[in-house]
Amino acid sequence: MSKAIQAVRGMNDLLPEAVERWQRVEASARDVMCAYGYREIRLPLLEKSELFACSIGTQTDIVEKEMYSFEDRSGENLTLRPEGTAGCVRAGIENGFLHNQIQRLWYAGPMFRHERPQKGRYRQFHQIGVEAFGIESPDIDAELILMCARLWQTLGLDGLSLELNSLGTPESRTAYRTELMRYLSARRDQLDEDSLRRLEKNPMRILDSKNPAMREVIAGAPNLHDHLDEGSRGHFERLGEYLRESGVVFAINPRLVRGLDYYTRTVFEWTTDRLGAQSAVCAGGRYDGLVEHLGGKPTPAAGFAIGMERLVELLALQSDSHPAVRPHGYLILLGDEAEKRGLKLAESLRSAGFRIEHNCGGGGLKVQFKRADRSGARLALLIGEDEVRNASITIKNLRDGAQRSVAQSELIDLLLKDTPRGTAP
Ligand code: ATP
Ligand code: MG
């Protein structure tokens, strides 16, 4: 026999138990985004490769070495999206919903990056992304951060800390870049291979290095804040005031830069010390230059992306008390006549709001009870020959073993009185 085919490295199956946890996070996120007036947008997983080269920048880790790019059958160069902002902006320009308007949008779904798989870092991972277009003032930056804070609170998550920085404008960064380049060039012997490569074209990316050996040289680097233009400085101070006023705790980290080239002014990151090396759960900021850069009219914009795997993992560490969703009842049917009535009964129970798992595929009493146990249902509802004859149904509580028989016509009323519905088991 040949060896069974396995999944692609770094791409995970999410089994039903995990999916239930994911769905809770997704539902909370949807509620939070809705509460702030954000609307969902769904975008293709595949885009033209040039979109990412243009928007993310050719000097970034993503474009340099992480993209899943290929030529399709008609020779077009395509890439599985490594992040969502580029596609969202592309869609905005193409569908004309960015110019002269305010748009608050969110999306969720898989992203693809060819990274070295490890805990918290996968090749297919999932993000919830949020983008706000058309607002230049820092109140929207504050709103985005408050949304994150509200989501953590809704999920009962603690231990996430917020770091903030301002990257200024591309113009104000030029002078800083020159100074940074001078500083780093004088310390070439301390730079790793990646950093040496970036030194000429994108020295700020060096500040984003994950290599611990680079820590010292980064710590001594000139401070971007000393070079901020007045507009960016005011913007950043105002954001700080808004956050303090709203009770959001943050730390300013002048070394916080984003891997993506299109960020301007505000950048932020939510991190945790509970997930080891992969500590960033959410990252975002302002990218005022991107829409124009991709061929649209100048449009201020800001957004963030949450790494779902890391968020869910964090939740799992905090023994979350949500019970899994299970059927209220498992319908056991013995004999042809019972099976015939069973389908109809199950339908009427579902119409009354109950989650019912119906025994399909026959089987003896023992087998069906075993399946009922495995389903996690609280009640087994049994119709056998006696019950068919008497138009009754036997209800067995699978938690305490209590059993009784009632008329089929009274079943729904009785269950409505006795069973908590909704998502509780
Ligand atoms: P990192 O510094 O961890 O590589 P990044 O700067 O590449 O992150 P972004 O592009 O800003 O990350 O993506 C936003 C979030 O998406 C990250 O904070 C993280 O939670 C998550 N993320 C990014 N890459 C991966 C990955 N390969 N696997 C799982 N989650 C990821
Ligand atoms: Mg990365």
Side-chain angles (χ1 to χ4, degrees), residues 61-62 66 113 115 121 208 210 310:
D61 278 350
I62 293 181
E66 296 175 358
R113 296 185 194 177
E115 304 199 62
R121 192 174 292 286
D208 200 23
K210 304 250 169 12
R310 297 182 193 176

Side-chain angles (χ1 to χ4, degrees), residues 128-394:
I128 292 181
V130 175
E131 319 285 356
F133 296 98
I135 307 164
E136 197 175 353
S137 48
D139 42 4
I140 192 75
D141 307 45
E143 176 177 292
L144 291 167
I145 289 170
L146 284 166
M147 273 171 87
C148 296
R150 182 174 291 275
L151 179 60
W152 315 147
Q153 192 197 11
T154 308
L155 293 169
L157 272 182
D158 49 38
L160 278 163
S161 9
L162 174 64
E163 289 188 357
L164 275 189
N165 193 22
S166 175
L167 300 179
T169 61
E171 297 74 40
S172 70
R173 279 205 295 262
T174 333
Y176 173 69
R177 262 178 64 131
T178 313
E179 193 180 318
L180 180 64
M181 201 125 74
R182 200 174 311 131
Y183 167 87
L184 292 169
S185 302
R187 289 160 186 81
R188 271 174 189 277
D189 52 331
Q190 296 176 50
L191 301 186
D192 63 10
E193 201 183 309
D194 271 347
S195 304
L196 282 171
R197 202 157 29 86
R198 290 192 177 124
L199 188 56
E200 296 304 321
K201 287 198 177 130
N202 195 353
M204 277 180 63
R205 288 293 329 283
I206 297 176
L207 301 179
D208 200 23
S209 167
K210 304 250 169 12
N211 184 352
M214 295 281 300
R215 215 166 278 154
E216 199 178 320
V217 66
I218 290 171
N223 193 333
L224 179 58
H225 274 250
D226 300 336
H227 294 265
L228 281 188
D229 57 289
E230 216 161 291
S232 298
R233 192 181 299 279
H235 193 275
F236 192 56
E237 279 165 10
R238 194 89 185 140
L239 172 60
E241 283 166 25
Y242 288 146
L243 293 177
R244 275 188 289 270
E245 189 66 25
S246 315
V248 177
V249 178
F250 62 90
I252 296 175
N253 173 3
R255 305 273 176 256
L256 180 68
V257 294
R258 301 291 314 141
L260 312 179
D261 278 353
Y262 51 70
Y263 280 92
T264 51
R265 293 190 167 166
T266 313
V267 282
F268 64 88
E269 205 161 82
W270 291 91
T271 58
T272 170
D273 52 14
R274 297 181 191 164
L275 291 179
Q278 269 42 264
S279 59
V281 173
C282 170
R286 180 165 277 285
Y287 50 97
D288 291 337
L290 183 63
V291 179
E292 188 179 13
H293 184 68
L294 287 179
K297 296 268 183 346
T299 307
F304 63 80
I306 296 171
M308 278 294 283
E309 280 77 1
R310 297 182 193 176
L311 181 63
V312 171
E313 174 71 22
L314 196 55
L315 257 183
L317 289 176
Q318 268 188 238
S319 71
D320 69 303
S321 57
H322 291 276
V325 178
R326 296 284 174 263
H328 295 110
Y330 187 96
L331 194 54
I332 292 179
L333 303 165
L334 295 162
D336 282 353
E337 199 52 37
E339 280 177 6
K340 210 156 76 190
R341 298 198 189 173
L343 278 170
K344 198 169 150 206
L345 178 66
E347 286 304 315
S348 57
L349 285 165
R350 291 180 191 121
S351 299
F354 296 102
R355 291 187 300 274
I356 300 297
E357 195 168 319
H358 173 230
N359 185 78
C360 289
L365 187 67
K366 231 171 125 188
V367 167
Q368 295 200 39
F369 263 111
K370 215 177 243 166
R371 290 182 191 147
D373 277 329
R374 206 174 301 143
S375 78
R378 195 171 67 93
L379 302 175
L381 307 170
L382 182 150
I383 304 181
E385 278 174 27
D386 286 350
E387 285 82 359
V388 167
R389 211 173 310 118
N390 309 331
S392 66
I393 185 160
T394 299

